[in-house]
Amino acid sequence: MRCEVGVRPVRTAVVALAGVVALTACATDEASPSSSPTTSVAAPSAPSVPQAPTGDQRGALTSQEPVPDIDPAITALGATATRVVYRSTSGVDGGGSQVVGTVFTPAGPAPDGGRPVVTVGHGTTGVTDECAPSSSPTLLGTTNLVRPLLQRGYVVTVTDYQGLGTDGPHPYLEPDTAAYDLIDAVRAARNVVPDASTRWAAIGVSQGGQASWSAAEHADDYGDGLAFVGSANLSPAADLSGIVADGTVEPLSWPQKMFLPYLLEGLKVVHPELNPDDYMRGALAATPDVTLSCVAAKLPEKWTVATQLTPADTGPRTEADAERMRGWLEDIALPKNGAGGPMLVVVGERDNLILPQWTSQAVDHACALGDVVEFDSRPGEGHADGRSVPGAVQWIADRFAGVPAPDTCPEGGTP
């Protein structure tokens, strides 16, 4: 998810909501039996899954080119940008994928030991190829997070995520795919920048906060050969199962209602049997060209849809539909495993998109797994509030400097 500070309330609500999720399509010919008893008919074959990369193939570049039209605020720092296509792994089917990313190289000589690498998980931008951040000079606003990291002298790499700008759907909020994309973006950056070190950190906001948290959980296995130092997860979409409670759907806020089409699209990538009509109706269901457009697109039309919503337009039709949704959301919820290093988790106490108590509960579970977590609950701030960024960048700098990570988990790791 992504939201902007200081814009009009209508625009903020619509953008924040669309900025919290996103998602991004087989047919087989049925042969008719031959009348000849000597002719055998082959059964339709399932689509082949591309082989997943292994070893040095992960993060290997299939193309790279300089980006001449990058945000002037980046070039003012003397930094350069390179657009890459790199190999990664799908968390949906375990096969190989190609992902677009942007690698930023800071100006000046590298320090002894090489430049640390920070991989960035961007907030939701949309569900279709035109919503890929790399298509925009500002990476659809993400250079605001890149810039302070470049000022620290880090190599910065921003993945578009699988399915944005490349073939296939974008498996929005499928955490394993997101983790692989972020980790292989580190490897891709090291293939672009010869003096980049193996030391890396992750930072993400909203959708990207889920991605950076998941990357921390995969740092020891999928991140083998790299040296993980920590992950800063801002307003992370870690566990949305709280939407469904006791076989019912909790009353949704206005941003959550507008976010629902994206959430369902994302779930449908992993669960193609999902019928969106079981969960939304009215204008939300009738205008997918509007509700599934890029976050910053068609804002007047989105406002019109929002004003037409009724309480009956959102929610499962039956208790069984509610239980299915809860199971699907629990399947993608974090934490799944212990993290490979310390984490910072930041929430705004006024967040009405990803409720603070959902994230607090996820942190409790991470503590119970033995993770080292600094949990920062910020009064007066909403979803993906930009005021949390400077502290998160400093937190990452401290990890690279070897400063012991703060831990707000109760002693013994039990909440």
Side-chain angles (χ1 to χ4, degrees):
M1 294 187 274
R2 181 171 64 95
C3 64
E4 301 174 19
V5 179
V7 294
R8 292 177 299 169
V10 167
R11 187 172 188 274
T12 300
V14 175
V15 173
L17 124 74
V20 121
V21 246
L23 134 42
T24 61
C26 188
T28 56
D29 294 329
E30 187 174 325
S32 57
S34 168
S35 58
S36 168
T38 60
T39 302
S40 61
V41 178
S45 58
S48 61
V49 175
Q51 185 174 0
T54 58
D56 291 342
Q57 297 172 349
R58 292 178 296 174
L61 304 182
T62 60
S63 72
Q64 68 178 98
E65 59 181 356
V67 184
D69 59 343
I70 201 66
D71 184 351
I74 297 297
T75 56
L77 299 175
T80 60
T82 305
R83 183 175 293 115
V84 300
V85 179
Y86 63 94
R87 298 190 63 192
S88 193
T89 304
S90 167
V92 176
D93 59 23
S97 63
Q98 295 200 65
V99 183
V100 179
T102 308
V103 176
F104 296 87
T105 307
D112 293 342
R115 296 187 184 277
V117 181
V118 180
T119 185
V120 173
H122 65 79
T124 300
T125 56
V127 303
T128 54
D129 286 342
E130 60 267 28
C131 307
S134 63
S135 66
S136 158
T138 66
L139 304 192
L140 298 179
T142 306
T143 52
N144 288 332
L145 183 53
V146 171
R147 189 169 61 251
L149 296 166
L150 285 172
Q151 291 171 329
R152 299 273 183 165
Y154 308 139
V155 172
V156 184
T157 182
V158 183
T159 179
D160 280 0
Y161 303 132
Q162 180 183 317
L164 292 180
T166 53
D167 291 341
H170 167 48
Y172 180 76
L173 291 184
E174 197 293 300
D176 293 339
T177 301
Y180 303 154
D181 290 349
L182 261 66
I183 294 171
D184 284 332
V186 175
R187 297 183 169 109
R190 299 189 69 243
N191 286 325
V192 172
V193 185
D195 58 10
S197 77
T198 59
R199 301 174 70 221
W200 69 282
I203 186 171
V205 181
S206 193
Q207 176 189 2
Q210 185 221 35
S212 57
W213 186 326
S214 186
E217 292 190 3
H218 286 283
D220 286 343
D221 47 44
Y222 195 83
D224 60 298
L226 301 172
F228 177 64
V229 302
S231 172
N233 317 312
L234 314 181
S235 297
D239 187 350
L240 304 182
S241 63
I243 291 174
V244 186
D246 300 325
T248 63
V249 169
E250 292 294 294
L252 300 181
S253 67
W254 178 52
Q256 289 169 338
K257 290 179 179 180
M258 292 297 294
F259 142 88
L260 185 60
Y262 296 97
L263 176 60
L264 295 176
E265 280 294 296
L267 290 172
K268 196 173 178 181
V269 174
V270 182
H271 303 283
E273 72 278 12
L274 185 154
N275 182 358
D277 292 341
D278 291 336
Y279 302 96
M280 65 180 182
R281 292 155 290 280
L284 280 179
T287 57
D289 59 319
V290 173
T291 58
L292 293 177
S293 62
C294 297
V295 166
K298 301 186 178 182
L299 291 175
E301 293 91 337
K302 289 174 181 175
W303 167 242
T304 298
V305 169
T307 61
Q308 296 172 352
L309 296 181
T310 71
D313 289 339
T314 56
R317 291 187 184 275
T318 68
E319 183 176 339
D321 293 334
E323 287 305 306
R324 274 192 293 272
M325 173 175 273
R326 183 173 184 85
W328 294 332
L329 294 176
E330 288 175 343
D331 286 344
I332 62 172
L334 300 177
K336 289 182 174 291
N337 306 290
M343 297 193 299
L344 169 68
V345 178
V346 179
V347 299
E349 293 182 5
R350 298 182 64 184
D351 193 335
N352 66 348
L353 185 53
I354 300 174
L355 300 187
Q357 59 265 35
W358 297 349
T359 307
S360 176
Q361 291 165 4
V363 169
D364 286 346
H365 296 154
C367 290
L369 290 171
D371 287 347
V372 173
V373 184
E374 180 180 3
F375 182 54
D376 183 9
S377 182
R378 300 171 69 91
E381 295 188 9
H383 183 73
D385 196 301
R387 288 173 287 184
S388 66
V389 170
V393 172
Q394 181 60 53
W395 186 92
I396 287 174
D398 288 344
R399 304 292 78 72
F400 282 130
V403 177
D407 188 1
T408 58
C409 288
E411 187 175 353
T414 53

